[in-house]
Amino acid sequence: MAQMNPTVGDLKGNAGKVVEFAERACAAGADLAVFPELALTGYPPEDLLLKPSFIKDNVEALKKISRKVRGITAVIGFVDGGGGDDIFNAAAVVHGGEVADVYHKMHLPNYGVFDEERYFRAGTQPLNFTLHGVTVGVGICEDIWFPEGPARQQALSGAGLIVNINASPYHLGKARLREEMLALRAVENRVVVAYNNTVGGQDELVFDGQGLIVDERGRVVARGRAFTEELIVADLEIKGAPTGERAGGVREITLGGGRKKKRKRTARRKPSPPSRPLRPIEEVFNALRLGTGDYAGKNGFKHAVIGLSGGIDSALVAAVAAKALGPENITGVFMPSDYTSDRSRKDAERLAKNLGIKLLTIPIQETFESYLGILEKPFGRRKGDVTEENLQARVRGNVIMALSNKFGWLALTTGNKSEMSVGYATLYGDMAGGFAVIKDVPKTMVYELSAHINRKAKRAVIPRSVMTREPSAELRPDQTDQDSLPPYEILDPILRAYVESDRSGEEIVAMGFDKATVESVIGMVDRSEYKRRQAPPGIKITPRAFGKDRRMPITNGYVKR
């Protein structure tokens, strides 16, 4: 199984990876090489699929690959034009230098981040192929999740192995759900299931790999590493499928070659041992690292710039970015005003030193006062309020974007999910940037991730003073986050219930939360949709993230607290 990292739209580069992995698999002595869902186009290709030229070019790329893949049979994900106006999420069975047959995905997901029904037509017929006397069923991602789906028909038609190719995005806890489902599907159909998943970052999605091979007893034979591109090699003893009446409606083909004699194992052909599953907080950190690195790299950025406040959010973003791009490719910018504490300065300097990143100090007080000067007349005698606080954030945003423009650096924002949910962020200020690393990370998890980084390093990379200080935007004297928000240990569970689980206010109050607090939080979430719509993309790590995952109207007259 080639657990490869494609780039959406890079047909030439993706095709090159397919050929390279096929050659490696052949050299390892494999009979069958399996590639991810839409390996040629990358996933999700979104409205590239509306371009006829894109569909045509991906089919041509498949034909070229087929001529190069020799000495091994391959299952490759691509978009099939179907010969008409319809297109299909498809898997090509490549054998003997040509495409022997094509399977069309039968179950198209259309929920959460998925909108495949917008683009694809569903397939209608399962496919089995027989290679060296072993019958193999082909499926794509969602197909395997249905107990009565194609896998059942394929097994009843003689398949002993079900190959399922995937582009399954990561969220916390999903790997465990996949493994449980695959074990169940293998046992109930008495087949071996080979589940290959893509890996890599694509805009706000991260694909974790962690491909699995599960035997007919539900035992894991092989497990790919998390968030890592690799070739997973396994020798499988296929005992065959249930005997009895065969299911109808399954297309069956036989590829050249009879039953193969068992070959003596060589050092080159040593199977991959099952990798160790990561702990939950390790998963999240690696998702953030890979998502940030791929967003930068695939979009041509080598260097990133981050506003360092001395607080924990910017410290975590800097730590992730340094791991993803290398500390030599990160510049932190400390931008003090008269409200900035000396502790913040020291913490920012200590963090930059610990991470090995460059630190610029650019004071903003003079610029802030010039803004106040030109606005003095139109503001009249109105008292100072959040407007003046936001001006400071917007001056800082201008500085970050100026550095980004001048040097071609990727500007990383530092807002977390808790803040983005309730609008505790400044539009065109701290929200200004190209990528939001922790946009889907609740504040309480920010602390968990920071502690994980320090444990992993066996030293306080993120200074202890940053971990223990009370959160503050430092935009007015003695300001703390809790002046405007409930404590995060109360706020985050309310947000999880409302944003991720669609619980009503009444249901959340019934969970034990104060009614006034719940109503206040829900009001802030609903009023902040216009801000979130203008925020940069960020990495999805929870079951339901803002953006493609949760799409609420900005103009919305439905109010139920």
Side-chain angles (χ1 to χ4, degrees), residues 121-136:
R121 182 179 175 184
T124 58
Q125 188 177 34
L127 171 66
N128 282 352
F129 68 87
T130 300
L131 176 66
H132 303 311
V134 176
T135 300
V136 181

Side-chain angles (χ1 to χ4, degrees), residues 119-253:
Y119 306 106
F120 298 117
R121 182 179 175 184
T124 58
Q125 188 177 34
L127 171 66
N128 282 352
F129 68 87
T130 300
L131 176 66
H132 303 311
V134 176
T135 300
V136 181
V138 179
I140 303 177
C141 203
E142 195 83 356
D143 290 334
I144 197 72
W145 288 86
F146 290 84
E148 300 299 326
R152 173 63 54 84
Q153 294 174 268
Q154 290 165 320
L156 290 174
S157 292
L161 168 66
I162 302 295
V163 162
N164 186 267
I165 64 174
N166 295 266
S168 180
Y170 168 79
H171 69 68
L172 185 59
K174 194 173 184 180
R176 177 182 55 80
L177 293 174
R178 284 195 209 118
E179 190 164 326
E180 291 173 355
M181 179 275 295
L182 292 170
L184 178 62
R185 209 63 73 240
V187 169
E188 65 190 12
N189 292 304
R190 285 181 278 176
V191 294
V192 177
V193 176
Y195 177 99
N196 188 33
N197 192 26
T198 195
V199 70
Q202 171 58 31
D203 296 345
E204 60 266 67
L205 300 181
V206 176
F207 300 89
D208 56 304
Q210 300 196 81
L212 287 167
I213 300 178
V214 182
D215 70 15
E216 63 275 7
R217 294 185 181 181
R219 300 173 300 189
V220 175
V221 175
R223 180 189 294 109
R225 287 182 291 170
F227 308 102
T228 303
E229 193 173 52
E230 68 171 340
L231 183 68
I232 304 162
V233 179
D235 281 335
L236 303 178
E237 295 290 339
I238 307 298
K239 297 180 180 179
T243 58
E245 186 178 349
R246 297 168 71 86
V250 178
R251 191 167 73 258
E252 300 187 52
I253 62 170

Side-chain angles (χ1 to χ4, degrees), residues 306-352:
I306 305 161
L308 294 185
S309 66
I312 195 165
D313 293 325
S314 60
L316 175 58
V317 171
V320 170
K323 204 71 175 176
L325 302 180
E328 69 279 6
N329 295 314
I330 306 298
T331 296
V333 187
F334 182 63
M335 296 168 280
S337 73
D338 283 355
Y339 300 123
T340 303
S341 67
D342 189 53
R343 177 179 180 178
S344 294
R345 182 191 302 275
K346 290 179 180 177
D347 284 342
E349 291 173 349
R350 190 176 299 117
L351 174 75

Side-chain angles (χ1 to χ4, degrees), residues 536-548:
I539 303 163
K540 170 182 165 65
I541 59 100
T542 68
R544 197 176 190 200
F546 292 116
K548 291 182 67 174

